[in-house]
């Protein structure tokens, strides 16, 4: 938001989360001149936020403050902290930066809390809960553009992997139109539209819309994931490879981002680079499960990646836990099939895929080209299951 500040991406900060690491150590490891650290404590509707800006080389505290406020003041505190940091670093904000810092996504903090919960559930592909959260947010603030964008994004995701019912696309487009009317330049709305284009198999339109979102907000949630998937589905593997590092720098805290870029590198025969992305993904997945052990998607993706590196015993343990937690979820069962496929357990992979399709998994175009299922691609039963004829390429 402030042009003169170079901020390190969230993904690079994951290694320091919840660790007793002092600011100078973090600054030295990252090569950062300044580190902002702090704590947030909540008691009922009261917040206590402490923040401190430390110069890495001298360990000198350039600025520090404590805020004891009501929950509804959280956006004002965010504004104050940003301005205080700029002032401490002797940065003069431009009128545009002043305007951006002052923007509030909603006046209703409870609505924003529901929105954040919905975004978290969407990332974990827990779609029913996500939809409820976004709907609750809109009930509290009928002009909350981000919540409408959340619903639009979710509708595209549901259509893609669970129910190919046109009503989901119609509902998503209506939510997108409403969000666009409220905030036409909001990058999250563009990401939602890109997801809907992707669900409709309009991959070029999806790519272009995702790029527009990234131009406006480089780390916009979900933007690099959908861009990678659009490039992968359109066979633009080289384009994806060129921007893979940018993607992980911007959205590397979201484990979903790693998937399409790893696959694209694999398709190009750049196995070592693909493996390196998988290794980085495993680190993020393990960290996520430390914080949110009930994240089934993170657990099943960890199972697949561990299988890739030959860690069969731990892989199967995570797979079984994930399936036990969500036994009727098509996407979880699909990824279980992928895990068995990577382990070359063909019969179990095919059985899990059957269960996934029976449970509603619908992205058969992805399954037809998924390298995790290579052991099945020439199997007549697999080809029949996903609707491939004799002349179709696997």
């Amino acid at each position: 938001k402030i042009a003169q500040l170079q901020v390190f991406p969230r993904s690079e900060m994951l290694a320091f989360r919840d660790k007793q690491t002092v600011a100078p150590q973090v600054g030295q490891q990252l090569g950062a001149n300044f580190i902002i650290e702090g704590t947030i404590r909540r008691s009922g509707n009261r917040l206590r936020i402490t923040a401190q800006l430390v110069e890495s080389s001298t360990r000198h505290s350039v600025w520090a403050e404590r805020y004891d406020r009501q929950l509804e003041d959280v956006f004002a505190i965010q504004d104050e902290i940003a301005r205080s940091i700029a002032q401490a670093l002797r940065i003069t904000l431009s009128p545009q930066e002043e305007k951006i810092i002052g923007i509030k996504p909603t006046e209703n903090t409870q609505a924003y809390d529901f929105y954040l919960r919905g975004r978290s559930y969407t990332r974990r592909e827990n779609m029913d809960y996500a939809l409820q959260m976004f709907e609750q947010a809109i009930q509290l603030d009928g002009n909350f553009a981000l919540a409408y964008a959340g619903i639009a994004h979710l509708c595209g995701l549901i259509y893609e992997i669970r129910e190919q019912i046109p009503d989901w696309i119609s509902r998503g487009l209506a939510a997108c139109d409403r969000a666009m009317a409220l905030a036409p330049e909001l990058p999250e709305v563009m990401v939602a539209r890109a997801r809907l284009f992707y669900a409709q198999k309009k991959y070029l339109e999806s790519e272009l819309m995702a790029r527009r979102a990234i131009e406006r907000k480089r780390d916009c949630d979900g933007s690099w994931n959908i861009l990678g998937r659009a490039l992968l589905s359109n066979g633009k593997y080289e384009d994806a490879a060129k921007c893979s590092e940018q993607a992980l720098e911007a959205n590397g805290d979201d484990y979903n981002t790693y998937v399409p870029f790893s696959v694209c590198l694999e398709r190009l025969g750049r196995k070592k680079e693909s493996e390196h992305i998988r290794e980085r993904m495993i680190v993020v997945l393990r960290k996520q499960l430390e914080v949110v052990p009930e994240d089934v998607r993170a657990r099943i993706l960890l199972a697949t990646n561990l299988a890739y590196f030959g860690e069969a015993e731990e892989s199967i343990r995570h797979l079984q836990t994930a399936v036990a937690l969500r036994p009727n979820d098509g996407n979880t069962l699909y990824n279980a099939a992928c895990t068995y496929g990577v382990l070359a357990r063909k019969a179990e992979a095919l059985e899990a895929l059957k269960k996934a399709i029976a449970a509603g998994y619908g992205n058969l175009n992805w399954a037809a080209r998924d390298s995790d299922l290579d052991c099945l691609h020439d199997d007549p039963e697999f080809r029949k299951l996903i609707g491939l004829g004799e002349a179709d390429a696997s």
Side-chain angles (χ1 to χ4, degrees):
K1 293 182 179 180
I2 301 175
Q4 294 181 55
L5 286 179
Q6 181 184 353
V7 180
F8 284 82
R10 294 189 300 262
S11 58
E12 292 194 33
M13 304 309 298
L14 283 174
F16 306 104
R17 188 169 67 182
D18 301 327
K19 289 187 177 179
Q20 297 298 317
T21 310
V22 296
Q25 289 178 311
V26 177
Q28 186 176 17
Q29 289 183 48
L30 292 177
N33 294 326
F34 296 90
I35 299 292
I36 184 166
E37 59 182 6
T39 61
I40 300 175
R41 297 286 184 269
R42 179 177 175 180
S43 178
N45 203 40
R46 295 288 301 175
L47 283 178
R48 170 168 289 180
I49 298 176
T50 63
Q52 179 178 218
L53 185 67
V54 179
E55 188 173 16
S56 301
S57 59
T58 64
R59 302 187 181 186
H60 173 65
S61 177
V62 178
W63 165 84
E65 190 61 80
R66 189 180 85 178
Y67 302 88
D68 289 297
R69 304 283 184 83
Q70 295 292 323
L71 182 61
E72 56 264 25
D73 296 330
V74 66
F75 296 126
I77 299 171
Q78 178 179 285
D79 186 354
E80 285 183 40
I81 290 174
R83 293 176 190 278
S84 297
I85 290 172
Q87 186 176 7
L89 298 176
R90 299 180 182 177
I91 294 172
T92 302
L93 298 177
S94 69
Q96 180 65 16
E97 288 168 342
E98 290 270 7
K99 181 180 178 182
I100 291 172
I101 287 173
I103 292 174
K104 297 180 182 179
T106 174
E107 294 293 336
N108 191 310
T109 54
Q110 190 177 0
Y112 192 65
D113 186 54
F114 277 123
Y115 164 73
L116 292 177
R117 291 171 188 264
R119 193 174 72 173
S120 175
Y121 281 127
T122 299
R123 182 178 288 191
R124 290 149 58 182
E125 296 190 359
N126 198 330
M127 292 172 278
D128 295 325
Y129 281 131
L131 189 57
Q132 290 175 33
M133 295 300 103
F134 291 135
E135 288 173 342
Q136 287 285 345
I138 289 170
Q139 283 184 19
L140 292 168
D141 181 357
N143 293 318
F144 192 2
L146 280 174
Y148 284 105
I151 286 179
H153 187 283
L154 192 59
C155 287
L157 184 63
I158 291 172
Y159 182 87
E160 174 199 337
I161 65 176
R162 193 169 77 181
E163 293 178 327
Q164 287 67 57
I165 298 173
D167 285 353
W168 285 115
I169 296 296
S170 299
R171 183 177 179 183
L173 290 173
C176 216
D177 289 344
R178 175 62 176 151
M180 191 71 73
L182 291 165
E185 295 302 313
L186 196 67
E188 286 83 358
V189 181
M190 298 171 192
V191 173
R193 191 68 186 88
R195 172 60 80 173
L196 287 163
F197 276 135
Y198 180 79
Q200 295 171 292
K201 296 183 173 59
K202 297 178 180 180
Y203 301 129
L204 178 59
E205 292 90 336
S206 178
E207 174 196 342
L208 294 175
M209 191 61 71
R211 290 190 186 278
R212 281 184 61 192
I214 290 165
E215 284 174 9
R216 283 162 175 75
K217 185 179 179 183
R218 186 170 174 271
D219 63 347
C220 185
D221 196 64
S223 57
W224 289 98
N225 177 29
I226 195 61
L227 174 62
R229 289 177 181 274
L231 293 171
L232 171 60
S233 297
N234 219 10
K236 295 185 175 182
Y237 309 139
E238 193 61 51
D239 288 352
K242 287 177 182 177
C243 65
S244 61
E245 197 56 40
Q246 289 177 273
L248 301 187
E249 285 180 2
N251 278 171
D253 60 324
D254 177 4
Y255 49 75
N256 293 293
T257 308
Y258 294 78
V259 176
F261 294 99
S262 173
V263 174
C264 284
L265 286 165
E266 191 175 85
R267 296 272 173 89
L268 290 168
R270 293 159 65 171
K271 185 177 179 182
K272 286 188 177 180
E273 292 172 78
S274 176
E275 287 181 349
H276 182 54
I277 288 182
R278 285 184 181 268
E279 288 168 346
R280 292 163 69 181
M281 184 180 180
I282 287 173
V283 173
V284 175
L285 290 167
R286 288 195 188 280
K287 190 66 180 178
Q288 172 69 3
L289 289 170
E290 286 177 15
V291 180
V292 190
E294 70 274 17
D295 187 343
V296 173
R297 177 157 174 78
R299 193 170 295 279
I300 196 66
L301 289 177
L302 178 59
T304 305
N305 280 280
L306 289 172
Y308 184 87
F309 289 107
E311 301 290 338
E313 185 177 342
E314 186 183 356
S315 170
I316 293 298
R317 189 166 67 248
H318 285 296
L319 180 155
Q320 291 172 342
T321 301
V323 172
L325 288 169
R326 285 165 72 176
N328 300 311
D329 179 72
N331 207 36
T332 300
L333 292 166
Y334 174 77
N335 283 290
C338 290
T339 304
Y340 284 126
V342 173
L343 292 171
R345 293 166 65 160
K346 185 174 178 180
E348 290 152 299
L350 189 60
E351 184 61 27
L353 183 61
K354 288 178 183 178
K355 290 179 180 179
I357 294 172
Y361 181 79
N363 195 353
L364 302 184
N365 183 54
W366 182 279
R369 298 181 294 171
D370 195 335
S371 60
D372 291 344
L373 298 175
D374 276 351
C375 70
L376 295 180
H377 283 173
D378 292 328
D379 186 280
E381 191 173 1
F382 168 81
R383 298 173 69 79
K384 182 179 179 181
L385 194 62
I386 63 170
L388 284 176
E390 290 297 321
D392 292 311
S394 61

